[in-house]
Structures are given as structure tokens and as C-alpha cells.
Amino acid sequence: MKKYGTIGILVLIVIAILLYISQEKDSPIKPLTDKQSNAHVYTLKVYQDRFARNNYHLEKALESINKLKEWDYTVSITEEASTTLKILHHRSIVHLEEIIKSVKSYEEYPNLSERKILEEAIERLEKIDNEILGDSLSSEDVYEAFDFTLNALAKAEVKLSESALKSNQNELAKLSLKQAQIHVKNAFLLDYSNRSNRTKHFDLEVEVFNEIDSLIKSDSISVREMDKRLSKISNELDILMQDMKKRI
């Protein structure tokens, strides 16, 4: 009887631990305490500065890509125009690569799988660079490479948000989501002109944008639900990039 009594006590202890863990996961995300906030304030400031620089590079890259989209690659162009085209293209590549390098340098960078995606994005951008040097570039190639890169950056930011959430850095988690949202928004804006040819791809980008927007605006959400929704968004971004791989 004493043996069964001991087993019963152990079972009750295990149940109590499981219930506690369950309650912790389902509890709303609480604001950081003053002590926690002070501990994370420097890290948050570093990321805020990086995000500001990344937004600058993104703005410059998009300026160049929008000018590139105005060119008709099917007609012959003068040598002077060709030089201008190459400069615009190279400028857009440089700015996007700066963002990728910045994201890869984050101290809380999630894991190697996202690093691999970003390295693949760089390879695609360099491929486009080689095409323009060989005068074999098409506007579609430019679009595909940029769309893939923007969604790859969004994926990395979502994973960074997950990592920040797990370390109780809620401000950083939302900041990362805002950056991811910017990348997705610019991806579907680039996609807008081709919407009739790829409705599902465009619609999924819009859906991801709205899902991220909903999370950013959420004042109270459980850790478990937040993690579940971030996972869903991450998987949807994977689908978008897989779709781009089929086209490139």
C-alpha cells in the first residue's frame, strides 16, 4: 500500500506541473516589468537603429526597382541607356544585400534554416547581376528575384519575432513583425501588376500581410496562440517562396 501511495503522490505532482505549464502557455502576454524592461532596453535600441537603416536601404532598393520596371527589355537600347540600366540594377541589389547582411548579423538570429534562405536570396540577386552584365536580363527575372528576397526577409523577421517572444522581449517581437509586414507589403505591391497571372500567390501575400497586422494590433493574446499564428505565417511564407522557386 505504501508503494501505491508513493506512486499516487508522484502522479499528482506530474499532473500539477503539467497544469502549471499549460496555464503559463495560455496566459496573456504581459507587459515587461521595470526590471525586465531595463534589461532589454539596450537590445531594443540596437534593433530599432538597425530596422531604421534597413528601411532606408529598402526604400532605396525599391526606388531603383521601380525605375527598372519602367524599362522595356524587349527593345534595343543605346549604350548610354544600357549603362544607366546597369547602375540602377546594381544599386537595387546592393541595398537589398545590405538588409540581408544586417538581418544575418542579429545576435538572436533564430537558426541556420533561415540563414540558408537569405543566402539563397543573395545567390538569386547575384544571378540577376550576371544576367545584366551579359545583356540577357528580363523584367520578369528582376521581379522574381525581388519577390523571393522580400518574402525571405519577411520569413527571417517572423522567426526573429518568435525568438524574441520566447525570451520575453515583447517590444522586439512586435518590432520584428512590423519589419516583416513591410517586406510582405512591398512584395505584393510588386506583385500587383501581375495579379491576373498569379491570383493565388498575390492573395496569399495579402493574407499574410493581414495576419501580421492583426498580431501587431493585438493587445492581449496568449503565448500559445501567438506561437501558433506565427508558425502559420512562417509556413505561408514558405509556400510563397516555393512558388517562386518553380518560376525562377
Side-chain angles (χ1 to χ4, degrees):
M1 291 295 292
K2 184 176 181 181
K3 177 181 178 182
Y4 290 114
T6 302
I7 293 175
I9 291 171
L10 289 174
V11 170
L12 288 174
I13 291 174
V14 170
I15 292 174
I17 292 173
L18 291 175
L19 285 173
Y20 174 77
I21 293 173
S22 177
Q23 289 172 354
E24 284 292 303
K25 286 186 176 181
D26 288 331
S27 61
I29 299 174
K30 299 177 181 178
L32 293 176
T33 65
D34 290 340
K35 184 177 180 180
Q36 290 171 323
S37 181
N38 290 334
H40 295 316
V41 67
Y42 176 75
T43 301
L44 183 61
K45 180 64 169 60
V46 168
Y47 283 106
Q48 286 173 332
D49 291 342
R50 285 177 175 174
F51 289 157
R53 288 198 300 271
N54 288 348
N55 283 336
Y56 165 80
H57 285 298
L58 181 60
E59 180 182 341
K60 293 301 180 182
L62 291 171
E63 282 180 7
S64 297
I65 191 63
N66 286 329
K67 289 180 181 178
L68 285 168
K69 287 174 67 179
E70 296 172 1
W71 287 81
D72 185 351
Y73 293 84
T74 63
V75 300
S76 298
I77 57 177
T78 65
E79 183 176 346
E80 182 180 355
S82 176
T83 301
T84 301
L85 182 63
K86 291 177 180 179
I87 291 173
L88 281 173
H89 175 266
H90 185 66
R91 186 181 299 161
S92 65
I93 296 295
V94 167
H95 284 296
L96 279 183
E97 287 183 343
E98 283 300 314
I99 301 173
I100 293 173
K101 290 175 184 176
S102 175
V103 173
K104 288 173 67 176
S105 71
Y106 289 168
E107 294 176 4
E108 293 187 30
Y109 196 79
N111 54 55
L112 292 177
S113 64
E114 274 62 59
R115 187 180 296 276
K116 184 178 179 181
I117 290 171
L118 293 176
E119 288 171 352
E120 183 176 349
I122 287 180
E123 289 176 5
R124 292 179 186 280
L125 294 174
E126 290 176 346
K127 179 182 176 183
I128 298 301
D129 236 352
N130 292 331
E131 285 184 13
I132 198 168
L133 290 174
D135 294 324
S136 60
L137 183 67
S138 71
S139 57
E140 187 68 13
D141 290 338
V142 174
Y143 158 76
E144 303 286 5
F146 270 67
D147 189 279
F148 183 90
T149 300
L150 289 170
N151 281 305
L153 285 166
K155 164 88 173 181
E157 294 291 355
V158 167
K159 300 304 287 186
L160 179 61
S161 182
E162 289 180 345
S163 177
L165 186 68
K166 290 174 182 176
S167 59
N168 200 32
Q169 298 187 77
N170 302 330
E171 293 97 334
L172 177 56
K174 287 206 171 185
L175 190 61
S176 299
L177 280 179
K178 288 178 182 177
Q179 191 74 21
Q181 186 184 40
I182 290 172
H183 292 315
V184 173
K185 180 185 75 173
N186 284 299
F188 75 66
L189 286 177
L190 283 176
D191 210 8
Y192 186 79
S193 59
N194 296 309
R195 181 172 57 172
S196 59
N197 297 328
R198 52 184 64 183
T199 304
K200 290 183 179 179
H201 187 91
F202 177 83
D203 288 347
L204 183 55
E205 283 178 331
V206 174
E207 181 180 340
V208 170
F209 175 88
N210 289 331
E211 288 172 347
I212 294 175
D213 192 54
S214 174
L215 285 180
I216 292 172
K217 293 177 179 177
S218 296
D219 294 326
S220 180
I221 183 173
S222 71
V223 176
R224 176 177 291 177
E225 180 62 21
M226 182 77 160
D227 188 60
K228 178 181 177 182
R229 291 171 66 178
L230 285 174
S231 232
K232 180 176 182 292
I233 291 170
S234 182
N235 291 335
E236 288 170 339
L237 288 167
D238 282 335
I239 292 172
L240 288 169
M241 284 184 287
Q242 286 298 324
D243 182 45
M244 299 308 298
K245 287 180 179 181
K246 295 176 184 176
R247 301 175 188 274
I248 299 177

PDB file of all heavy atoms in Angstrom, residues 221-238:
ATOM      1  N   ILE A 221      -2.937  38.525 -26.018  1.00  0.00           N
ATOM      2  CA  ILE A 221      -3.011  37.240 -26.705  1.00  0.00           C
ATOM      3  C   ILE A 221      -2.127  36.251 -25.956  1.00  0.00           C
ATOM      4  O   ILE A 221      -1.070  36.624 -25.439  1.00  0.00           O
ATOM      5  CB  ILE A 221      -2.559  37.387 -28.173  1.00  0.00           C
ATOM      6  CG1 ILE A 221      -2.705  36.061 -28.928  1.00  0.00           C
ATOM      7  CG2 ILE A 221      -1.142  37.907 -28.268  1.00  0.00           C
ATOM      8  CD1 ILE A 221      -2.445  36.195 -30.413  1.00  0.00           C
ATOM      9  N   SER A 222      -2.554  35.002 -25.874  1.00  0.00           N
ATOM     10  CA  SER A 222      -1.781  34.009 -25.132  1.00  0.00           C
ATOM     11  C   SER A 222      -0.496  33.667 -25.876  1.00  0.00           C
ATOM     12  O   SER A 222      -0.407  33.800 -27.101  1.00  0.00           O
ATOM     13  CB  SER A 222      -2.606  32.742 -24.907  1.00  0.00           C
ATOM     14  OG  SER A 222      -2.780  32.036 -26.125  1.00  0.00           O
ATOM     15  N   VAL A 223       0.498  33.238 -25.137  1.00  0.00           N
ATOM     16  CA  VAL A 223       1.771  32.830 -25.733  1.00  0.00           C
ATOM     17  C   VAL A 223       1.550  31.691 -26.721  1.00  0.00           C
ATOM     18  O   VAL A 223       2.123  31.675 -27.814  1.00  0.00           O
ATOM     19  CB  VAL A 223       2.766  32.396 -24.632  1.00  0.00           C
ATOM     20  CG1 VAL A 223       4.054  31.869 -25.256  1.00  0.00           C
ATOM     21  CG2 VAL A 223       3.068  33.562 -23.701  1.00  0.00           C
ATOM     22  N   ARG A 224       0.709  30.740 -26.326  1.00  0.00           N
ATOM     23  CA  ARG A 224       0.447  29.589 -27.188  1.00  0.00           C
ATOM     24  C   ARG A 224      -0.201  30.023 -28.499  1.00  0.00           C
ATOM     25  O   ARG A 224       0.183  29.572 -29.589  1.00  0.00           O
ATOM     26  CB  ARG A 224      -0.465  28.591 -26.468  1.00  0.00           C
ATOM     27  CG  ARG A 224      -0.867  27.403 -27.343  1.00  0.00           C
ATOM     28  CD  ARG A 224      -1.710  26.413 -26.574  1.00  0.00           C
ATOM     29  NE  ARG A 224      -0.930  25.725 -25.565  1.00  0.00           N
ATOM     30  CZ  ARG A 224      -1.448  24.844 -24.720  1.00  0.00           C
ATOM     31  NH1 ARG A 224      -2.741  24.580 -24.735  1.00  0.00           N
ATOM     32  NH2 ARG A 224      -0.681  24.243 -23.830  1.00  0.00           N
ATOM     33  N   GLU A 225      -1.185  30.928 -28.426  1.00  0.00           N
ATOM     34  CA  GLU A 225      -1.879  31.386 -29.630  1.00  0.00           C
ATOM     35  C   GLU A 225      -0.938  32.198 -30.521  1.00  0.00           C
ATOM     36  O   GLU A 225      -0.954  32.066 -31.748  1.00  0.00           O
ATOM     37  CB  GLU A 225      -3.103  32.228 -29.230  1.00  0.00           C
ATOM     38  CG  GLU A 225      -3.914  32.758 -30.398  1.00  0.00           C
ATOM     39  CD  GLU A 225      -4.530  31.680 -31.272  1.00  0.00           C
ATOM     40  OE1 GLU A 225      -4.672  30.536 -30.792  1.00  0.00           O
ATOM     41  OE2 GLU A 225      -4.865  31.990 -32.437  1.00  0.00           O
ATOM     42  N   MET A 226      -0.128  33.035 -29.891  1.00  0.00           N
ATOM     43  CA  MET A 226       0.839  33.840 -30.648  1.00  0.00           C
ATOM     44  C   MET A 226       1.812  32.927 -31.396  1.00  0.00           C
ATOM     45  O   MET A 226       2.089  33.123 -32.586  1.00  0.00           O
ATOM     46  CB  MET A 226       1.609  34.743 -29.689  1.00  0.00           C
ATOM     47  CG  MET A 226       2.602  35.671 -30.365  1.00  0.00           C
ATOM     48  SD  MET A 226       1.797  37.076 -31.129  1.00  0.00           S
ATOM     49  CE  MET A 226       3.187  38.215 -31.272  1.00  0.00           C
ATOM     50  N   ASP A 227       2.314  31.933 -30.704  1.00  0.00           N
ATOM     51  CA  ASP A 227       3.260  30.992 -31.302  1.00  0.00           C
ATOM     52  C   ASP A 227       2.606  30.235 -32.460  1.00  0.00           C
ATOM     53  O   ASP A 227       3.218  30.023 -33.513  1.00  0.00           O
ATOM     54  CB  ASP A 227       3.756  30.013 -30.233  1.00  0.00           C
ATOM     55  CG  ASP A 227       4.887  29.136 -30.755  1.00  0.00           C
ATOM     56  OD1 ASP A 227       5.930  29.679 -31.144  1.00  0.00           O
ATOM     57  OD2 ASP A 227       4.712  27.907 -30.770  1.00  0.00           O
ATOM     58  N   LYS A 228       1.355  29.847 -32.268  1.00  0.00           N
ATOM     59  CA  LYS A 228       0.605  29.109 -33.294  1.00  0.00           C
ATOM     60  C   LYS A 228       0.425  29.954 -34.544  1.00  0.00           C
ATOM     61  O   LYS A 228       0.618  29.486 -35.678  1.00  0.00           O
ATOM     62  CB  LYS A 228      -0.757  28.693 -32.724  1.00  0.00           C
ATOM     63  CG  LYS A 228      -1.649  27.953 -33.709  1.00  0.00           C
ATOM     64  CD  LYS A 228      -2.978  27.615 -33.059  1.00  0.00           C
ATOM     65  CE  LYS A 228      -3.919  26.941 -34.059  1.00  0.00           C
ATOM     66  NZ  LYS A 228      -5.243  26.653 -33.429  1.00  0.00           N
ATOM     67  N   ARG A 229       0.081  31.216 -34.362  1.00  0.00           N
ATOM     68  CA  ARG A 229      -0.180  32.088 -35.503  1.00  0.00           C
ATOM     69  C   ARG A 229       1.114  32.491 -36.226  1.00  0.00           C
ATOM     70  O   ARG A 229       1.144  32.612 -37.454  1.00  0.00           O
ATOM     71  CB  ARG A 229      -0.959  33.323 -35.037  1.00  0.00           C
ATOM     72  CG  ARG A 229      -2.386  32.974 -34.623  1.00  0.00           C
ATOM     73  CD  ARG A 229      -3.120  34.116 -33.958  1.00  0.00           C
ATOM     74  NE  ARG A 229      -3.352  35.234 -34.871  1.00  0.00           N
ATOM     75  CZ  ARG A 229      -4.019  36.332 -34.510  1.00  0.00           C
ATOM     76  NH1 ARG A 229      -4.500  36.451 -33.272  1.00  0.00           N
ATOM     77  NH2 ARG A 229      -4.210  37.295 -35.386  1.00  0.00           N
ATOM     78  N   LEU A 230       2.191  32.662 -35.464  1.00  0.00           N
ATOM     79  CA  LEU A 230       3.478  32.952 -36.092  1.00  0.00           C
ATOM     80  C   LEU A 230       3.945  31.769 -36.927  1.00  0.00           C
ATOM     81  O   LEU A 230       4.522  31.945 -38.010  1.00  0.00           O
ATOM     82  CB  LEU A 230       4.527  33.293 -35.027  1.00  0.00           C
ATOM     83  CG  LEU A 230       4.421  34.671 -34.375  1.00  0.00           C
ATOM     84  CD1 LEU A 230       5.431  34.803 -33.244  1.00  0.00           C
ATOM     85  CD2 LEU A 230       4.636  35.778 -35.403  1.00  0.00           C
ATOM     86  N   SER A 231       3.692  30.570 -36.405  1.00  0.00           N
ATOM     87  CA  SER A 231       4.050  29.346 -37.134  1.00  0.00           C
ATOM     88  C   SER A 231       3.293  29.252 -38.450  1.00  0.00           C
ATOM     89  O   SER A 231       3.843  28.872 -39.479  1.00  0.00           O
ATOM     90  CB  SER A 231       3.684  28.158 -36.277  1.00  0.00           C
ATOM     91  OG  SER A 231       4.707  27.312 -36.122  1.00  0.00           O
ATOM     92  N   LYS A 232       2.020  29.603 -38.413  1.00  0.00           N
ATOM     93  CA  LYS A 232       1.173  29.580 -39.618  1.00  0.00           C
ATOM     94  C   LYS A 232       1.692  30.578 -40.652  1.00  0.00           C
ATOM     95  O   LYS A 232       1.809  30.261 -41.845  1.00  0.00           O
ATOM     96  CB  LYS A 232      -0.278  29.920 -39.247  1.00  0.00           C
ATOM     97  CG  LYS A 232      -1.259  29.925 -40.435  1.00  0.00           C
ATOM     98  CD  LYS A 232      -2.676  30.179 -39.945  1.00  0.00           C
ATOM     99  CE  LYS A 232      -3.679  30.144 -41.101  1.00  0.00           C
ATOM    100  NZ  LYS A 232      -3.536  31.263 -42.032  1.00  0.00           N
ATOM    101  N   ILE A 233       2.019  31.778 -40.196  1.00  0.00           N
ATOM    102  CA  ILE A 233       2.540  32.803 -41.102  1.00  0.00           C
ATOM    103  C   ILE A 233       3.859  32.349 -41.720  1.00  0.00           C
ATOM    104  O   ILE A 233       4.095  32.516 -42.923  1.00  0.00           O
ATOM    105  CB  ILE A 233       2.746  34.138 -40.341  1.00  0.00           C
ATOM    106  CG1 ILE A 233       1.382  34.729 -39.967  1.00  0.00           C
ATOM    107  CG2 ILE A 233       3.552  35.128 -41.175  1.00  0.00           C
ATOM    108  CD1 ILE A 233       1.469  35.909 -39.003  1.00  0.00           C
ATOM    109  N   SER A 234       4.717  31.750 -40.894  1.00  0.00           N
ATOM    110  CA  SER A 234       6.004  31.253 -41.373  1.00  0.00           C
ATOM    111  C   SER A 234       5.812  30.201 -42.456  1.00  0.00           C
ATOM    112  O   SER A 234       6.496  30.212 -43.490  1.00  0.00           O
ATOM    113  CB  SER A 234       6.799  30.667 -40.203  1.00  0.00           C
ATOM    114  OG  SER A 234       8.058  30.219 -40.632  1.00  0.00           O
ATOM    115  N   ASN A 235       4.861  29.295 -42.251  1.00  0.00           N
ATOM    116  CA  ASN A 235       4.577  28.253 -43.240  1.00  0.00           C
ATOM    117  C   ASN A 235       4.028  28.838 -44.537  1.00  0.00           C
ATOM    118  O   ASN A 235       4.339  28.369 -45.641  1.00  0.00           O
ATOM    119  CB  ASN A 235       3.574  27.236 -42.675  1.00  0.00           C
ATOM    120  CG  ASN A 235       4.172  26.392 -41.572  1.00  0.00           C
ATOM    121  OD1 ASN A 235       5.389  26.202 -41.510  1.00  0.00           O
ATOM    122  ND2 ASN A 235       3.339  25.880 -40.684  1.00  0.00           N
ATOM    123  N   GLU A 236       3.201  29.872 -44.421  1.00  0.00           N
ATOM    124  CA  GLU A 236       2.638  30.524 -45.611  1.00  0.00           C
ATOM    125  C   GLU A 236       3.733  31.225 -46.414  1.00  0.00           C
ATOM    126  O   GLU A 236       3.707  31.215 -47.653  1.00  0.00           O
ATOM    127  CB  GLU A 236       1.547  31.505 -45.202  1.00  0.00           C
ATOM    128  CG  GLU A 236       0.277  30.815 -44.717  1.00  0.00           C
ATOM    129  CD  GLU A 236      -0.723  31.762 -44.084  1.00  0.00           C
ATOM    130  OE1 GLU A 236      -0.320  32.865 -43.652  1.00  0.00           O
ATOM    131  OE2 GLU A 236      -1.917  31.397 -44.005  1.00  0.00           O
ATOM    132  N   LEU A 237       4.698  31.808 -45.722  1.00  0.00           N
ATOM    133  CA  LEU A 237       5.829  32.422 -46.417  1.00  0.00           C
ATOM    134  C   LEU A 237       6.659  31.370 -47.132  1.00  0.00           C
ATOM    135  O   LEU A 237       7.191  31.610 -48.230  1.00  0.00           O
ATOM    136  CB  LEU A 237       6.690  33.214 -45.426  1.00  0.00           C
ATOM    137  CG  LEU A 237       6.071  34.517 -44.924  1.00  0.00           C
ATOM    138  CD1 LEU A 237       6.839  35.055 -43.722  1.00  0.00           C
ATOM    139  CD2 LEU A 237       6.024  35.564 -46.035  1.00  0.00           C
ATOM    140  N   ASP A 238       6.771  30.190 -46.540  1.00  0.00           N
ATOM    141  CA  ASP A 238       7.466  29.079 -47.196  1.00  0.00           C
ATOM    142  C   ASP A 238       6.760  28.711 -48.506  1.00  0.00           C
ATOM    143  O   ASP A 238       7.409  28.440 -49.524  1.00  0.00           O
ATOM    144  CB  ASP A 238       7.509  27.847 -46.281  1.00  0.00           C
ATOM    145  CG  ASP A 238       8.570  27.963 -45.199  1.00  0.00           C
ATOM    146  OD1 ASP A 238       9.551  28.704 -45.416  1.00  0.00           O
ATOM    147  OD2 ASP A 238       8.411  27.325 -44.145  1.00  0.00           O
TER     148      ASP A 238
END
